[in-house]
Amino acid sequence: MLENLPTVLTTARLTLRPFTEGDAAPLFRIFSDDEVVRFWSAGAWTEIVQAEAMIEEAMAGYQEGGLCRYAITLADTGELIGICNLRGFFEQNRRCELGYALGSAHWGRGYAFEALEALLGHAFSALDMNRIEADIDPRNDASARLLERLGFRQEGTMPERWIVHGEKADTAFYGLLKRYWDERALSRSSPDAAG
Ligand SMILES: CC(C)(COP(=O)(O)OP(=O)(O)OC[C@H]1O[C@@H](n2cnc3c(N)ncnc32)[C@H](O)[C@@H]1OP(=O)(O)O)[C@@H](O)C(=O)NCCC(=O)NCCS
């Protein structure tokens, strides 16, 4: 039984749902793109079994806990456009790590922000997290902009933590606390809030 099957999350334009075995082909299309893996330590996928392995890992996460992985799909067509997940749960300290990627055809439309806003809301409420962490390549400007829009704060850097396509790459480490999230929600609902 898949005891940790994540709750489906819906937004204005998206449905975040658990992965199924039928998702391998669209998932493969996302990660076989050099642009998508530009800042990842692994290369672009070349075999469908790599997509199947990511789905199996998601299924194991639904069964055993420890990984909460969502397929990001367009609400109107059902097209799978990306993934996002929480992992590295440390229950005693109520923290975990965030990961995400969108197919490059869907960048620049606010879909990642919309998906992660729903996922983070879920993490701070239903999953009772207090702190969510993200580790990104400092050259990944789109990812940094996304995290900062969501309220993450950069907390430090770690030099040469990764080898990205043969090149030493640093980590920019970000954290989002529940209290930042609540403050952001309050400032957005205040009548004096800008934007
Ligand atoms: C990181 C990543 C998800 C960011 O995607 P993105 O499309 O830039 O992010 P968003 O969905 O929040 O879209 C924001 C952009 O859409 C624009 N946009 C258009 N319509 C919008 C809307 N309705 N709402 C919000 N933003 C909108 C914004 O102006 C913004 O553009 P800008 O980045 O030029 O300022 C994407 O670059 C990616 O998948 N990269 C590869 C994987 C990766 O690096 N993952 C992170 C490493 S762990």
Side-chain angles (χ1 to χ4, degrees):
M1 194 175 117
L2 303 178
E3 295 190 9
N4 295 292
L5 207 58
T7 318
V8 172
L9 303 175
T10 55
T11 70
R13 297 180 293 173
L14 304 171
T15 303
L16 276 60
R17 58 155 176 82
F19 272 93
T20 69
E21 279 152 12
D23 292 325
L27 189 60
F28 178 75
R29 277 197 290 279
I30 293 171
F31 286 99
S32 54
D33 177 348
D34 287 329
E35 276 199 88
V36 171
V37 301
R38 167 69 189 87
F39 297 110
W40 283 31
S41 50
W45 290 351
T46 53
E47 317 256 359
I48 191 84
V49 290
Q50 293 171 284
E52 289 163 359
M54 187 182 264
I55 293 169
E56 273 166 33
E57 190 188 21
M59 299 290 179
Y62 304 150
Q63 188 139 1
E64 295 150 18
L67 171 64
C68 173
R69 174 166 288 159
Y70 279 104
I72 304 172
T73 67
L74 294 179
D76 55 357
T77 62
E79 182 188 354
L80 191 158
I81 63 163
I83 81 160
C84 57
N85 48 239
L86 300 171
R87 68 190 323 153
F89 289 96
F90 197 150
E91 286 195 13
Q92 198 267 319
N93 296 303
R94 294 169 45 219
R95 71 172 140 84
C96 63
E97 296 154 25
L98 175 68
Y100 45 85
L102 277 191
S104 58
H106 300 282
W107 293 355
R109 297 182 204 179
Y111 288 138
F113 179 85
E114 194 168 314
L116 295 188
E117 195 173 43
L119 178 62
L120 294 167
H122 179 67
F124 286 124
S125 55
L127 305 183
D128 196 29
M129 291 290 112
N130 179 57
R131 174 181 164 84
I132 300 179
E133 299 174 348
D135 165 347
I136 71 165
D137 189 313
R139 298 168 297 176
N140 193 346
D141 294 331
S143 194
R145 275 199 302 275
L146 171 63
L147 290 175
E148 282 162 16
R149 276 199 306 270
L150 288 160
F152 278 81
R153 299 186 190 178
Q154 189 176 338
E155 297 173 330
T157 55
M158 290 180 239
E160 299 184 19
R161 190 155 185 256
W162 303 98
I163 304 292
V164 174
H165 313 301
E167 204 183 347
K168 293 172 194 144
D170 300 343
T171 278
F173 201 73
Y174 283 79
L176 176 62
L177 305 185
K178 169 89 164 48
R179 60 189 167 83
Y180 304 164
W181 185 256
D182 291 343
E183 280 161 21
R184 178 176 164 276
L186 262 180
S187 70
R188 288 175 128 207
S189 61
S190 137
D192 301 329

